[in-house]
Amino acid sequence: MLATLRGANLTLAFLVEIAMLGAFALGGWVGPQELWLKLVLAIGLPALAILLWAVWAAPKAGKRRLNEPGLTIFKALIFSAATFALWASGWTTAAIAFGALAAVNLIGAWALGQVSFRRPA
């Protein structure tokens, strides 16, 4: 049962991470009036999120990967920014749903022992 919940939470984490990129793309597209700026932001905001994630949050980030609790704080901040992008785009219901799922994922990771804020002995 616990293994199933952990697997489901990892799946949710993946889906939230992908949705985050979509939220940033939507936020970049809806915001400005000029087409060139829409394109730059719709591509640039998700690209920036990918870059930040690759440097600090990806499992293969190596020595640069943040340790806990910094990693969870980083994820909470970037998911909050994506939630704001959805809200600012006028997608209020999607923003609420995304924010709630991101919170469930982060809290679930802690509750299921997938992250630990204790210092190693």
Side-chain angles (χ1 to χ4, degrees):
M1 174 74 173
L2 190 58
T4 303
L5 287 174
R6 285 181 177 155
N9 197 49
L10 288 175
T11 301
L12 178 60
F14 175 73
L15 295 174
V16 167
E17 292 162 15
I18 297 300
M20 170 191 65
L21 299 176
F24 283 133
L26 179 67
W29 183 258
V30 171
Q33 295 296 322
E34 297 82 12
L35 178 61
W36 70 270
L37 191 53
K38 285 179 179 278
L39 291 171
V40 167
L41 290 175
I43 295 168
L45 289 176
L48 178 61
I50 289 169
L51 175 69
L52 293 173
W53 197 276
V55 170
W56 291 319
K60 293 188 178 182
K63 294 179 182 179
R64 295 179 311 233
R65 186 169 195 218
L66 295 171
N67 295 321
E68 294 298 344
L71 181 60
T72 298
I73 292 169
F74 170 78
K75 288 179 180 181
L77 289 173
I78 201 164
F79 292 154
S80 296
T83 301
F84 177 77
L86 284 171
W87 174 80
S89 299
W91 289 55
T92 307
T93 305
I96 292 168
F98 175 81
L101 287 173
V104 164
N105 174 248
L106 293 176
I107 293 168
W110 170 76
L112 295 169
Q114 292 173 312
V115 296
S116 175
F117 300 126
R118 295 184 213 156
R119 291 184 182 208

